Structure formats: structure tokens, C-alpha cells
């Protein structure tokens, strides 16, 4: 009684307080969720605002790019016209009317034609009157000089940055296109427009409030603005002058040209590399777009909380009345020690309390019925079941299925320890798990163990044991076990495992690719040889995925057709190409037959052999035959050209020159033949041409006396294409011949250095020939010799490269630039 009395005297919160707390517990998470939703909504407002700003920037960028497309199309049309390409310089002014009509059709643009040679002499300008004098050649760095230079060097159309027109202070932007003749840029056509034309495009996009749009060129100068264009054109805005901000993309904040903070959306201009377009919205408008909705949602949440607390206090009174009646009834039952019906519980308007009243009355009847149902279910269950004493482990109760599992009658089992019926090898593990459950260290005990019947036969069962606890104390009063006989299943699984192990061993050790492909193309299984064949490190990289993607595109349709034929019952053999996971193409020969799956489906069982080496050998032999024929014809053509172009004033000199050049071609031809005409290393080619002057070469007069090296080579491994090898060999031969006659190799102590590098960033293979210690060179020769023509013909005309020669006092320096895409494999 003392403990009960102290519990009554202990402070407790009333039902009203609990109901208010319940309402708060419900409302506060809801309000928290609402707050999160409000913040999410504000974030959505911000994102929508930024997305709209970005969409506007993209739309304006597309409009600017479209304008450049229009100007570029006109420039290309003029540059491609045969009348302009084939006309002499003196005939071009007569085309003024035609060019002016095109310029007028472009809204008053200006068409200019200039010579691509240095100085860029002007040939036509629709912006000048017919009587106007032709302006002097452009000065480097002024007007559109940089644009003309880029087009002349690259041979591709280009867009200029902002510049001032020659002879005026007006701003202009232009698109230029090359006029090509015989593969060379002869002239440049320029279509120039007033930046105000771009400003008009920006103004066509409706912008809200104080927002504005601006376009900046590659140097960060404003080209056009939707507002105050004349004021800001040619200036550098704050967002471009700050290098950290100028490199940003997307949406960012910065100070505007008007002095206030703004939200910027930046977008590149596709047709003008380096150009950027920004749309700027005042930061105040951006902030207002999400702060106002957030404040409204916050006020609504506070009002909802206050209303909820008021409703909770009102409802608490109605709830307390039936609770008090239930409390009095419980105290009466506790005092009497048994159930009583002297004072029945009043009915409640609260559905839950009414249900509780009826449940109390049904509880006792349900308990009695439950015990009867459990007894029936236990006895008639098809699963073997038993109950055991938690202290001794002796069986208290068993059903018919348990007797059948053990091969014994009920009297033989009840009273015996369950461990006595378990196989000796399983007893220790079973007992340990059972005691952990009884002591409360584990919620239950699950195991697979073997039972021994009286006749010595063994049955295997999966057993699940649960504790049964007393309602008052919570102690384990008995254990309930259910056992499922899996003897036949385990025997079948063991036989299947043995069979699968044998099949797996054959499958995995087969040196050929073996695979199983489902009807829809899914790879179901592939052995290790197959994984190596497609470049997969593990089976899960390809198994479960469609194999159609591994087949080369040109063979995919035929492969799928053959696959369907195999799945329909045919046995086939065919060849196809596979593209492995590393992108390597391999040639395969496959033999396939249908395979019926356990689920009733059908798949393809295939054995595939890699025949890449065989096919490559066949293709290489055919290619080699064609290449030898082609190269032989080329070599004869080069020899004929050499014979025709070599000076013939002195027959003896003529014979030596021809012999040297033919030997250079022969050395390159030999190297290519040794490599099967698939290319040659630059180092080996250079060694062949400079062999007499390299370290280890014998003296020309005494074969047994070594001399100091006259030539030094340095450079990374570079493999030349077959068509480039002979040209480079001829060029090195001409340089070596010149050095022997007139340069560093003509005197004792002279040295020649040949170095090269492959500049992947610029796309050039750069070779440097430097002569040191030769005769003093007063300057370039007065007459352009045959060697110079050979260098230019092979390097520039044949390979599309560049030749630069400097006659320094110490000797000749020759730099050869060759395009990597044309000379290097």
C-alpha cells in the first residue's frame, strides 16, 4: 500500500495537459513541415526566378548567334562566288553594285573585300563612294586587322571582336570568310554591321522593370546593350573587370554599371567564341520574389497553432469524463480482487472508450476460446511441433507430425530431453543456441539439425524455437518448436550441386568463349575466356546486360537475325565483329545451338572463337600488296620529278644530286617496307639520313678511325605516316646536303643539331635544324636554290606545313612545322 500511496502522491500531469501536449506534438511537426515547405516554396520561387533569367539569356544568345549566322551566310556566299574567286584584283571594284545589293539586303551592312597577303590591301568597300580613294593597307592591330589575319591563317570563317572602322570613330562587328583558290586563302570577304543592330535584337526581348541585357566580346568590352547602348558601347563592365566574376557561368551576383547590386545570368554566344551575353535583374526585385510569400506562410502557421491549442483545451473536458469513470472501475476491480458488475461502466460518446468497455467484457471469453483453438491447431498441424521445459529441456508436449519425424510414438517422446534425439555432431551447437534464447540473450533460436530415428536413419529438419513467457512475471515458462523436414530437398540439392560443379568446371576451363544469350539478347552466362575476349574484369560487367551493344554496328542486324534463327531451333555458324568494353574491335567466329531453359524459355548456347589474327593477316596481306603497288608508283613519280627539277648545268654534279635524292627516297622506302608500310619512326628516318655524322660513324677516309659526332638527334618517339615519311626524308636530305656543301658540315668542328617535339595543344609536329660552328653566314642567299624549292614543295605543298629559315652568324636555323593530323599516326 505504501508504494501505491506514494505513486498517487507523486506529481502527474492531467489529461488536459496531455491533450494540449498531444495537439502541440501534432501541430509542431506539421508547422515544422509547413515551415520547411515554405522555405522550399521560397527556394522554388528563387529557382524559378533564376531559371527565367537563364532562359532569357539563352534566348538572347540564340538571337545573337542567329544574327551572326545571317552575316556569316552572306560572307560565305560572297566568298564562294566564282566571279569573286577567279577575278583579278583590278576587276573586283566592278562588283561593287552586286555587293552593295547584298549589303542593303542585310539591313545596311558593309561589305569589304581585302587581300589575304600581309598588309591586307583593300579591294572593295561598299561603305565608300565609287570616287573615294582606296585606303592605304591596314596597320597591324587596327580595325579588322586581327579578324583578317585569323581567317587568312586558318582558312575558316571567323567573328571579330568590337573595333572601330578605319577612318572613323564608329564601332563595328564583322564576320569574315576566306576566298579559297587552289587550296590557299587569296582574299577575305568581310560583312560588317553596326553594334546598334545587336542592341535592337536585345530590346526585342521583353525584360521586366529595371532589367537589362548586354553582350560583351572576347576582350570583355560591351558590344551592345538593351538600355543606354550608346553610353556603354566599348566599355568594360564591372562583371568583366573582376577576373573572379568574369570566369563564372550560370547565375551569380555582382555590382552593375548603375551602381546597385544585380543578379546576373551569363550565357556564351555559340557563333562568336569568347563572347558572353548577360541578363541583369536588380537584386531587390529578386529578393522580393521569394521573401513576401515566405512571410505570408509564416503568419498563417502562427494562427493555426493558436487555434489548435484553443480547440485542444475545449475537447479536453469532454474526454476527461469517461476516463474518470474507467479509472474508478479499475480501482474497484483492484480493491475487490476480481471482476465486478455492480457498477457497470457508462456508455461514452468517444468511440474508443466505448470500444474499450466492450473489449474488457469480451477479454475473458476470448481467452478461453483461444486456448481451445491453440490446442486443436497444435495437434492437427502438418508441421512437427513440440513444447519443452526451459529448465531441463525435456519434452512436455508433441504433435503427430513430430512423432512421424522422429519415428516414435508420443509416450516414447514426452519426458525425454530433446537433445537425446539429435545427431551427436549437432548437439553442441543446438544446445548453445537454445540456452541463449532461454536466458534472453537472443529473441529465438533457429537452426538446421539432424534427428536420429530408432532404425538409425537420419532426417534433416529446419527448426525454429520461440520462448513462451508468463503474463505476470515475463519469465520463460516453456519453449515452442516447429520443425520442417527437408531431408529429400537437401539430398536433391547435393546431387544438383555436384552436377553443377562438374558443368561449371568444364564451362570455365574451356579455352573458347562459351555464353548463353536469352531470346531478348540478355547475356545470362559467360565463361572466363569470354570475359577476357570482351575485356571484362568481372562477370557482372556484362552478365544481365544486352549483348547487342557488343556487336559492331554493321553486323548487328545480321547477328540479331541469326540469334532469332538459333532460338527458333536452327544450329548455325557465322562470323561477326565485337567491340569490347575497352573499345577494341575483335573478329569472332561462332557456333550456336538452341538451349531450352528450366522456366520453359529458349536461349542461344554459343561457342565463339577469336579469329582477329587470321582476318588481320588476310587484310594486311591484301593491303600490303595494294600499298606496295601504290608506293612503287609514287616513288617513280618522285624520282621523275627529281630528275626533272635537278639543275643540269654540270653533268657530274647532276648525277651526284640525283643519286643522293634517290638514295634518300630509297632509305625511307626500305624503312617503310620493313614496317609493312604501316609507318616509320622519325628517329630511325633521321638516323638514316644523318648516319655518316652521328656518334659511332667511321671517318670518311679511314674506316677504322672513329671521329667526333657531327650531328646530334633529340626528340620523343614519333611515328610518321607512310605518305609523310618520304617527304620528311627528302627535306632532311636537302638540309644535310646544304650543310655538307656550305654549312656546318663543310668545315672541321661544325655540328648540326636536329630536335623535334609533338605539340598536342597546337596540333603541330615541330622540327628544328640548327647548324653551329660552320662558316660565317653573312645573310640569306641572293638566289633561291633547288634545295629551297624542295623544302617548300615537300613541307608546305605536300604536307601542308610551314618552313622558316634564319641565317644566323653561327649557321642556318631551319624550323619545320607539320600538322600532326597529316603526318603522325
Amino acid at each position: 500500500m505504501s508504494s501505491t500511496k506514494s505513486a498517487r502522491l507523486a506529481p502527474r500531469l492531467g489529461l488536459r495537459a496531455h491533450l494540449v501536449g498531444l495537439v502541440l506534438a501534432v501541430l509542431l511537426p506539421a508547422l515544422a513541415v509547413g515551415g520547411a515547405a515554405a522555405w522550399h516554396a521560397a527556394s522554388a520561387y528563387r529557382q524559378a526566378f533564376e531559371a527565367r533569367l537563364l532562359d532569357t539569356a539563352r534566348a538572347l544568345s540564340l538571337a545573337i548567334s542567329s544574327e551572326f549566322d545571317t552575316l556569316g551566310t552572306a560572307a560565305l556566299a560572297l566568298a564562294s562566288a566564282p566571279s569573286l574567286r577567279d577575278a583579278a584584283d583590278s576587276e573586283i571594284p566592278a562588283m561593287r553594285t552586286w555587293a552593295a545589293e547584298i549589303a542593303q539586303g542585310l539591313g545596311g551592312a558593309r561589305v569589304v573585300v581585302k587581300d589575304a597577303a600581309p598588309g591586307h590591301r583593300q579591294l572593295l568597300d561598299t561603305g565608300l563612294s565609287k570616287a573615294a580613294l582606296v585606303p592605304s593597307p591596314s596597320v597591324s592591330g587596327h580595325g579588322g586587322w586581327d579578324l583578317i589575319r585569323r581567317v587568312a591563317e586558318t582558312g575558316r570563317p571567323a567573328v571579330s571582336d568590337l573595333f572601330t572602322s578605319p577612318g572613323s570613330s564608329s564601332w563595328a562587328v564583322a564576320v569574315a570568310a576566306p576566298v579559297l583558290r587552289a587550296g590557299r586563302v587569296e582574299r577575305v570577304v568581310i560583312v560588317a554591321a553596326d553594334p546598334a543592330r545587336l542592341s535592337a535584337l536585345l530590346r526585342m526581348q521583353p525584360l521586366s522593370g529595371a532589367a537589362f541585357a548586354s553582350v560583351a566580346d572576347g576582350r570583355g568590352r560591351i558590344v551592345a546593350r538593351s538600355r543606354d547602348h550608346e553610353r556603354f558601347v566599348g566599355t568594360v563592365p564591372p562583371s568583366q573587370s573582376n577576373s573572379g566574376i568574369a570566369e563564372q557561368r550560370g547565375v551569380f551576383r555582382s555590382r552593375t554599371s548603375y551602381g546597385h547590386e544585380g543578379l546576373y545570368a551569363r550565357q556564351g554566344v555559340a557563333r562568336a567564341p569568347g563572347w558572353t551575353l548577360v541578363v541583369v535583374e536588380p537584386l531587390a526585385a529578386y529578393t522580393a520574389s521569394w521573401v513576401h510569400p515566405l512571410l505570408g506562410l509564416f503568419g498563417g502557421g502562427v494562427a493555426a497553432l493558436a487555434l489548435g491549442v484553443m480547440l485542444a483545451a475545449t475537447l479536453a473536458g469532454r474526454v476527461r469524463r469517461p476516463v474518470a469513470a474507467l479509472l474508478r472501475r479499475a480501482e474497484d476491480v483492484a480493491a475487490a480482487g476480481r471482476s465486478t458488475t455492480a457498477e457497470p461502466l457508462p456508455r461514452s460518446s468517444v468511440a474508443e472508450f466505448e470500444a474499450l468497455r466492450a473489449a474488457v467484457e469480451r477479454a475473458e471469453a476470448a481467452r478461453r476460446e483461444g486456448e481451445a483453438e491453440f490446442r486443436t491447431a497444435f495437434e492437427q498441424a502438418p508441421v512437427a511441433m513440440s513444447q519443452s521445459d526451459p529448465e531441463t529441456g525435456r519434452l512436455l508436449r508433441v504433435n503427430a507430425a513430430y512423432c512421424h519425424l522422429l519415428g516414435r510414438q508420443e509416450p516414447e517422446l514426452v519426458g525425454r530431453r530433446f537433445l537425446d534425439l539429435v545427431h551427436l555432431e549437432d548437439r553442441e551447437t543446438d544446445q548453445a543456441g537454445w540456452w541463449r534464447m532461454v536466458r534472453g540473450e537472443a529473441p529465438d533460436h533457429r537452426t538446421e539439425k539432424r534427428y536420429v530415428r530408432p532404425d538409425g536413419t537420419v532426417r534433416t529438419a529446419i527448426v525454429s524455437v520461440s520462448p513462451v513467457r508468463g503474463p505476470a512475471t515475463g519469465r520463460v515458462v516453456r519453449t515452442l518448436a516447429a520443425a520442417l523436414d527437408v531431408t529429400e530437398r537437401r539430398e536433391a540439392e547435393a546431387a544438383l550441386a555436384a552436377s553443377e560443379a562438374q558443368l561449371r568446371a568444364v564451362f570455365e576451363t574451356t579455352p573458347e568463349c562459351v555464353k548463353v544469350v536469352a531470346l531478348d539478347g540478355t547475356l545470362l552466362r559467360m565463361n572466363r575466356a569470354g570475359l577476357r575476349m570482351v575485356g571484362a574484369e568481372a562477370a557482372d560487367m556484362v552478365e544481365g546486360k544486352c549483348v547487342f551493344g557488343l556487336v559492331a554496328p554493321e553486323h548487328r542486324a545480321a547477328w540479331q537475325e541469326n540469334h532469332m534463327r538459333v532460338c527458333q531451333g536452327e544450329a548455325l555458324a557465322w562470323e561477326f565483329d565485337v567491340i569490347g568494353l575497352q573499345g577494341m574491335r575483335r573478329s569472332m567466329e561462332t557456333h550456336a545451338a538452341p538451349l531450352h531453359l528450366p522456366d520453359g524459355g529458349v536461349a542461344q548456347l554459343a561457342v565463339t572463337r577469336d579469329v582477329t589474327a587470321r582476318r588481320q593477316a588476310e587484310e594486311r596481306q591484301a593491303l600490303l600488296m595494294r600499298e606496295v603497288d601504290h608506293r612503287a608508283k609514287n616513288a617513280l613519280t618522285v624520282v621523275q620529278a627529281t630528275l626533272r627539277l635537278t639543275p643540269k648545268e654540270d653533268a657530274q654534279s647532276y648525277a651526284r644530286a640525283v643519286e643522293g635524292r634517290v638514295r634518300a627516297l630509297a632509305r625511307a622506302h626500305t624503312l617503310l617496307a620493313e614496317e609493312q608500310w604501316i609507318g616509320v619512326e622519325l628517329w630511325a628516318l633521321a638516323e638514316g639520313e644523318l648516319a655518316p655524322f652521328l656518334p659511332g660513324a667511321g671517318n670518311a677516309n679511314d674506316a677504322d678511325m672513329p671521329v667526333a659526332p657531327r650531328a646530334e638527334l633529340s626528340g620523343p618517339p614519333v611515328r610518321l605516316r607512310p605518305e609523310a615519311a618520304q617527304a620528311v626524308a627528302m627535306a632532311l636530305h636537302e638540309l644535310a646536303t646544304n650543310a655538307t656543301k656550305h654549312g656546318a658540315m663543310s668545315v672541321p668542328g661544325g655540328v648540326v643539331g636536329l630536335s623535334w617535339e609533338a605539340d598536342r595543344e597546337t596540333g603541330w609536329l615541330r622540327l628544328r635544324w640548327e647548324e653551329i660552328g660552320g662558316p660565317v653566314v653573312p645573310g640569306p642567299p641572293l638566289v633561291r636554290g633547288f634545295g629551297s624549292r624542295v623544302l617548300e614543295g615537300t613541307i608546305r605543298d605536300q604536307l601542308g606545313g610551314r618552313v622558316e629559315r634564319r641565317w644566323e652568324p653561327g649557321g642556318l636555323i631551319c624550323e619545320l612545322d607539320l600538322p600532326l593530323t597529316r603526318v603522325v599516326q
Side-chain angles (χ1 to χ4, degrees):
M1 284 295 294
S2 60
S3 61
T4 305
K5 184 176 180 181
S6 62
R8 290 179 178 177
L9 296 177
R12 294 286 188 272
L13 294 177
L15 181 59
R16 187 186 303 273
H18 280 85
L19 288 176
V20 172
L22 177 62
V23 170
L24 291 177
V26 172
L27 284 180
L28 287 178
L31 290 175
V33 172
W39 184 256
H40 179 73
S43 176
Y45 283 127
R46 292 198 303 271
Q47 293 175 3
F49 192 99
E50 294 174 2
R52 177 180 60 80
L53 209 60
L54 277 173
D55 288 342
T56 303
R58 294 189 187 99
L60 289 175
S61 173
L62 290 174
I64 296 297
S65 293
S66 177
E67 183 65 16
F68 280 128
D69 282 339
T70 302
L71 297 177
T73 301
L76 283 172
L78 286 166
S80 303
S83 57
L84 179 62
R85 182 188 62 211
D86 300 331
D89 292 350
S90 60
E91 297 172 346
I92 290 182
M95 303 178 186
R96 174 185 174 79
T97 302
W98 170 57
E101 291 176 354
I102 294 178
Q104 187 65 28
L106 294 173
R110 186 174 180 177
V111 176
V112 179
V113 180
K114 292 208 173 190
D115 191 349
H120 310 311
R121 181 167 52 89
Q122 184 164 299
L123 305 176
L124 175 63
D125 188 347
T126 62
L128 301 177
S129 62
K130 293 182 179 180
L133 296 176
V134 175
S136 58
S138 301
V139 180
S140 174
H142 289 268
W145 186 89
D146 181 67
L147 175 65
I148 301 169
R149 178 186 59 79
R150 278 189 288 150
V151 175
E153 288 181 355
T154 64
R156 294 191 296 269
V159 177
S160 74
D161 285 335
L162 187 69
F163 65 92
T164 55
S165 301
S168 70
S169 60
S170 61
W171 294 102
V173 291
V175 179
V179 179
L180 300 173
R181 184 164 59 185
R184 299 179 58 181
V185 180
E186 297 290 343
R187 301 182 181 107
V188 177
V189 175
I190 306 169
V191 177
D194 190 337
R197 181 171 177 164
L198 302 182
S199 176
L201 283 176
L202 298 181
R203 291 196 298 272
M204 292 175 64
Q205 179 71 24
L207 299 175
S208 61
F212 62 91
S214 177
V215 180
D217 64 11
R219 291 180 286 182
R221 296 182 303 175
I222 292 179
V223 178
R225 282 172 61 104
S226 63
R227 194 174 70 188
D228 298 330
H229 168 76
E230 297 297 335
R231 174 183 171 188
F232 292 105
V233 65
T235 65
V236 177
S239 61
Q240 290 289 342
S241 58
N242 187 328
S243 60
I245 296 177
E247 295 176 357
Q248 296 190 39
R249 290 294 182 267
V251 177
F252 61 93
R253 296 182 182 182
S254 179
R255 185 167 294 277
T256 69
S257 303
Y258 298 103
H260 57 72
E261 287 292 318
L263 188 68
Y264 284 70
R266 187 191 299 273
Q267 185 71 25
V269 180
R271 297 303 181 189
W275 284 41
T276 55
L277 182 142
V278 295
V279 177
V280 186
E281 187 83 26
L283 193 60
Y286 167 69
T287 304
S289 70
W290 61 271
V291 169
H292 293 168
L294 189 62
L295 292 176
L297 291 172
F298 176 76
V302 172
L305 178 62
L307 181 61
V309 172
M310 292 174 60
L311 290 175
T314 303
L315 292 174
R318 297 182 60 185
V319 174
R320 289 180 69 249
R321 285 189 292 273
V323 170
L326 285 172
L327 178 61
R328 288 191 301 270
R329 176 62 180 272
E331 289 177 346
D332 292 343
V333 172
R338 57 185 177 82
S339 299
T340 178
T341 58
E343 186 181 350
L345 288 173
R347 293 183 179 275
S348 173
S349 60
V350 179
E352 285 78 4
F353 291 134
E354 178 63 20
L356 178 61
R357 182 191 65 82
V360 170
E361 297 175 352
R362 294 193 302 268
E364 184 64 21
R367 181 183 65 81
R368 292 191 296 269
E369 292 177 2
E371 288 184 353
E373 291 178 355
F374 172 77
R375 187 181 302 108
T376 301
F378 182 88
E379 295 294 342
Q380 298 179 4
V383 177
M385 302 182 71
S386 65
Q387 292 182 0
S388 301
D389 185 339
E391 294 183 359
T392 62
R394 296 186 180 277
L395 294 171
L396 302 175
R397 192 175 185 179
V398 295
N399 67 353
Y402 191 85
C403 296
H404 176 73
L405 174 65
L406 273 296
R408 302 173 187 267
Q409 298 297 319
E410 182 178 356
E412 298 179 68
L413 296 173
V414 175
R416 295 190 62 176
R417 293 195 319 154
F418 72 86
L419 283 176
D420 295 340
L421 308 170
V422 178
H423 195 285
L424 285 174
E425 296 178 358
D426 298 339
R427 289 183 184 179
E428 183 177 355
T429 303
D430 189 27
Q431 185 180 31
W434 189 80
W435 278 116
R436 281 197 301 271
M437 178 199 65
V438 171
R439 291 194 297 264
E441 298 173 2
D444 53 23
H445 171 50
R446 301 175 187 272
T447 185
E448 181 173 322
K449 59 184 178 181
R450 290 166 291 177
Y451 290 103
V452 181
R453 287 179 169 181
D455 60 1
T457 59
V458 177
R459 305 297 295 180
T460 303
I462 297 176
V463 182
S464 177
V465 187
S466 301
V468 179
R469 301 181 183 275
T473 62
R475 295 176 59 250
V476 179
V477 296
R478 68 180 64 85
T479 63
L480 178 64
L484 178 65
D485 191 342
V486 293
T487 305
E488 286 75 14
R489 183 198 305 177
R490 292 293 181 259
E491 291 174 352
E493 289 174 352
L496 180 61
S499 176
E500 287 184 348
Q502 290 181 336
L503 178 62
R504 189 180 302 110
V506 175
F507 182 82
E508 293 296 342
T509 56
T510 300
E512 306 294 346
C513 167
V514 182
K515 61 181 180 294
V516 179
V517 183
L519 182 63
D520 63 354
T522 301
L523 180 64
L524 302 179
R525 190 78 181 274
M526 178 178 280
N527 65 352
R528 286 194 293 267
L531 296 178
R532 290 193 299 269
M533 187 175 292
V534 300
E537 298 179 359
D540 57 6
M541 296 178 67
V542 290
E543 289 183 358
K545 300 178 176 59
C546 184
V547 299
F548 297 158
L550 296 174
V551 180
E554 65 270 20
H555 295 162
R556 199 165 294 162
W559 196 96
Q560 291 175 308
E561 180 183 353
N562 289 337
H563 172 65
M564 295 302 298
R565 290 173 59 189
V566 170
C567 292
Q568 291 170 2
E570 294 187 51
L572 297 176
W574 72 91
E575 288 192 17
F576 59 95
D577 285 356
V578 165
I579 301 177
L581 299 183
Q582 285 79 26
M584 295 184 62
R585 179 183 285 260
R586 310 293 295 176
S587 298
M588 305 294 168
E589 179 183 75
T590 191
H591 300 264
L595 175 67
H596 296 281
L597 302 177
D599 61 0
V602 66
Q604 175 201 134
L605 174 63
V607 178
T608 301
R609 180 181 297 107
D610 190 338
V611 294
T612 306
R614 185 188 72 190
R615 183 182 290 184
Q616 287 178 345
E618 295 170 353
E619 293 176 352
R620 189 159 50 243
Q621 183 176 8
L623 177 63
L624 183 60
M625 294 176 63
R626 293 196 300 270
E627 189 66 23
V628 168
D629 179 68
H630 173 68
R631 294 299 170 187
K633 293 177 181 177
N634 282 353
L636 291 175
T637 302
V638 174
V639 170
Q640 289 174 351
T642 302
L643 292 172
R644 185 172 64 253
L645 295 176
T646 303
K648 306 175 181 64
E649 292 79 4
D650 182 359
Q652 191 173 7
S653 299
Y654 170 74
R656 286 198 301 271
V658 169
E659 183 181 358
R661 288 162 184 145
V662 171
R663 277 201 304 269
L665 292 174
R667 283 190 293 269
H669 194 280
T670 300
L671 289 173
L672 287 170
E674 292 174 351
E675 295 293 330
Q676 297 185 347
W677 291 94
I678 59 174
V680 64
E681 288 292 332
L682 177 55
W683 189 287
L685 190 69
E687 277 186 332
E689 297 304 327
L690 302 177
F693 310 102
L694 292 173
N699 189 284
N701 298 323
D702 188 352
D704 298 327
M705 183 182 296
V707 296
R710 305 289 303 279
E712 298 176 352
L713 304 180
S714 66
V718 173
R719 194 169 186 82
L720 298 178
R721 294 175 179 270
E723 56 268 23
Q726 291 180 329
V728 173
M730 182 67 77
L732 295 179
H733 173 77
E734 293 303 329
L735 289 171
T737 301
N738 182 73
T740 303
K741 291 182 178 179
H742 313 290
M745 295 183 185
S746 66
V747 296
V751 178
V752 168
L754 175 62
S755 61
W756 60 86
E757 63 174 348
D759 192 340
R760 302 291 178 182
E761 294 184 2
T762 61
W764 292 96
L765 172 63
R766 304 183 184 280
L767 290 85
R768 178 183 175 91
W769 175 280
E770 183 175 2
E771 300 184 13
I772 302 173
V776 177
V777 178
L782 299 178
V783 179
R784 179 167 170 266
F786 173 69
S788 298
R789 292 196 300 272
V790 171
L791 276 177
E792 294 176 357
T794 56
I795 300 302
R796 185 186 64 190
D797 298 339
Q798 185 174 346
L799 299 180
R802 300 184 296 219
V803 179
E804 181 180 348
R805 288 169 292 178
R806 301 193 302 275
W807 284 268
E808 303 291 343
L812 170 65
I813 296 177
C814 181
E815 295 181 345
L816 309 178
D817 292 344
L818 304 173
L820 288 174
T821 57
R822 294 186 60 176
V823 302
V824 175
Q825 287 185 328

